[in-house]
Amino acid sequence: VKVTDADAPVLAMYFSFNGGRGYSPEDYIINTIAPKVQAVTVVGKATVGAHEWTVAESEWSVWHVAKSDNGQWLIVVENKKTDAGKANTLIGSIVTK
C-alpha cells in the first residue's frame, strides 16, 4: 500500500504473513530489510496508536514493524525521515483485527 500527498510519497506499507510461526518484528528487520538496506539499525520500540512498533533506521529512511492483533501478520511501514510527521499520524491510525 502506498500513501501519497499530492502525488508525493508519504509512506509504503507492507504485510508479511506470519502464520503463527513466531517471526518477530526484529526477525523481519534482520532477515528482510537489513540485507537490502545499507546500515540499517534497530533503534528501539515505540507505541504509536494501537500497536507497539519495532523501529529501524537508515540514513534516509525509517521502518516501523509490528504484529497484527491476532499475531498472524507483520505490518511494515517505511517512510523517509523527512516525512516522519505525516507518516506517524498515519501509523497511529492503523487498527488490525
Side-chain angles (χ1 to χ4, degrees), residues 33-84:
I33 298 172
K36 297 174 185 167
V37 178
Q38 197 170 29
V40 67
T41 304
V42 175
V43 295
K45 295 188 182 285
T47 300
V48 182
H51 297 283
E52 179 180 79
W53 300 86
T54 300
V55 182
E57 295 183 354
S58 68
E59 183 178 2
W60 304 106
S61 298
V62 179
W63 290 263
H64 288 78
V65 185
K67 285 189 175 191
S68 63
D69 289 348
N70 68 9
Q72 297 294 305
W73 294 86
L74 291 176
I75 307 157
V76 182
V77 180
E78 176 184 359
N79 62 275
K80 292 181 180 175
K81 286 182 176 179
T82 56
D83 296 321

Side-chain angles (χ1 to χ4, degrees), residues 10 79-91:
V10 175
N79 62 275
K80 292 181 180 175
K81 286 182 176 179
T82 56
D83 296 321
K86 290 179 185 177
N88 287 341
T89 299
L90 294 167
I91 291 167

